[in-house]
Amino acid sequence: MSGHTMRAVTITMFGGPEVLTPEDVARPEPLPTEVLVRVHAAGVNPVDWKTRTGQGMAGLQTFPLILGWDVSGVVEEVGFGVTTLEPGDEVYGMPWFPRAGGAYAEYVTAPARQWARKPSTVDHVHAAAVPLAALTAWQILVDTAHVQAGQRVLITAAAGGVGHFAVQFARHLGAHVTATASAARHPWLKDLGADETIDYTTTAFEEAAADVDVVVDLVGDGHDRTSTRALKTLSQGGLLVAVPGGVSPDLAAAAEAAGVRTTGFLVEPDGPALTRIADLIDAGEVSVEVEKTFPLAEAATAHAHGEAGHTRGKLVLTTTD
């Protein structure tokens, strides 16, 4: 650590939003192969508030903890050996996940190759809404499920952060996309590329969708046994990617009995994928939805808003006026 300080939001115990405390802390310095990034905006994700309560990635963290993994900002300084970035470059990334990323702060350090150049057509607020959610959707559809043109993809909770990117990436890959969301979100999801929409509040999605090749389940069995119900929509040999909660022994047994496949998933830092995603954003093929922004000092309010549920797209903290 340097002699410089920065403003950050820390927690020293697990608990409710009130444990998020703005304070001055030591500013980090980049080690060899790392860059120091001046944070302009930081995305807020469900894993943030789950970790804050002692769930999520809590078991990997130590106190005091600076939460957050989504960053968009400007390179301030580069460590020895960095040749891909230089001071002044606008970048975005998902540093260190699942270890502490420290995004709720004015500065962050991370390996240079965990960053990518920010999409040039969006501001830092919208860029900060991208990394964790978009990489989750990309790595599921491209790297895990290997979705091909003509396949049928079902996405639950499609109006959320990961979901709205998954709809767009599945469309980009040429898939037939079915999205579950409340009826008010359907016109927007159709604009994003959904071929069919299902109102989960009035219709059992497993009765409305069939012959699906890939299910991207962003709800999980912890809520109304969504993953188990989703198995019924899959064609023989189809794949369920269970994101929240992963695959329980009961879910695995049910999938085997049904003749389908299932896997859990956890996103990884991926600079090259962020470069490809930035290209899609700059080409106008992918849009980024931000429902609301909050000043960094109001992180607790942002968490309370997110935990209330039904956010359209993402919430973002800003460190600059």
Side-chain angles (χ1 to χ4, degrees):
M1 295 290 181
S2 71
H4 299 100
T5 61
M6 65 177 182
R7 201 67 176 162
V9 175
T10 68
I11 67 171
T12 57
M13 67 180 72
F14 297 125
E18 69 279 358
V19 302
L20 291 159
T21 305
E23 62 177 332
D24 291 326
V25 301
R27 194 187 84 179
E29 289 185 352
L31 297 175
T33 77
E34 293 183 353
V35 297
L36 174 70
V37 172
R38 170 71 164 94
V39 178
H40 284 237
V44 178
N45 294 285
V47 70
D48 299 5
W49 57 76
K50 290 177 183 178
T51 300
R52 189 208 70 227
T53 65
Q55 303 175 63
M57 299 297 114
L60 302 177
Q61 315 306 326
T62 57
F63 295 124
L65 171 62
I66 301 174
L67 287 169
W69 286 276
D70 274 340
V71 173
S72 183
V74 177
V75 175
E76 183 91 357
E77 183 181 340
V78 301
F80 175 79
V82 174
T83 60
T84 57
L85 295 170
E86 59 185 27
D89 286 343
E90 293 188 316
V91 295
Y92 75 144
M94 186 190 73
W96 298 115
F97 190 86
R99 290 187 288 162
Y104 294 6
E106 291 179 323
Y107 292 90
V108 169
T109 55
R113 294 178 190 272
Q114 290 187 3
W115 304 94
R117 296 182 188 278
K118 181 184 77 68
S120 61
T121 56
V122 299
D123 58 17
H124 285 291
V125 165
H126 287 79
V130 174
L132 192 147
L135 283 176
T136 298
W138 184 270
Q139 291 173 5
I140 287 172
L141 293 166
V142 176
D143 302 329
T144 303
H146 306 292
V147 169
Q148 304 295 313
Q151 288 189 313
R152 300 178 68 86
V153 175
L154 169 65
I155 301 163
T156 64
V162 176
H164 88 289
F165 285 118
V167 168
Q168 295 177 86
F169 294 156
R171 176 204 59 189
H172 170 72
L173 294 168
H176 178 97
V177 183
T178 301
T180 74
S182 60
R185 308 295 198 208
H186 289 188
W188 172 57
L189 289 170
K190 289 286 185 69
D191 288 342
L192 293 182
D195 297 286
E196 299 179 55
T197 50
I198 299 171
D199 182 355
Y200 71 92
T201 68
T202 61
T203 304
F205 71 88
E206 69 272 24
E207 296 178 2
D211 298 321
V212 172
D213 296 293
V214 177
V215 175
V216 181
D217 179 27
L218 303 171
V219 179
D221 259 350
H223 181 79
D224 205 19
R225 295 184 61 78
T226 299
S227 292
T228 298
R229 292 163 51 209
L231 296 175
K232 300 177 183 179
T233 70
L234 286 166
S235 58
Q236 285 292 299
L239 175 65
L240 165 69
V241 183
V243 182
V247 180
S248 67
D250 287 346
L251 179 61
E256 184 177 4
V260 300
R261 299 169 294 141
T262 187
T263 184
F265 176 83
L266 191 63
V267 66
E268 303 175 49
D270 191 343
L274 283 175
T275 297
R276 296 178 67 183
I277 291 166
D279 289 342
L280 291 175
I281 293 171
D282 287 340
E285 292 192 42
V286 171
S287 63
V288 185
E289 185 75 10
V290 174
E291 180 177 283
K292 190 173 178 63
T293 63
F294 302 82
L296 179 65
E298 295 180 16
T301 304
H303 274 224
H305 184 94
E307 287 179 280
H310 308 295
T311 298
R312 171 169 155 161
K314 293 289 296 293
L315 306 175
V316 175
L317 304 176
T318 58
T319 64
T320 57
D321 295 333

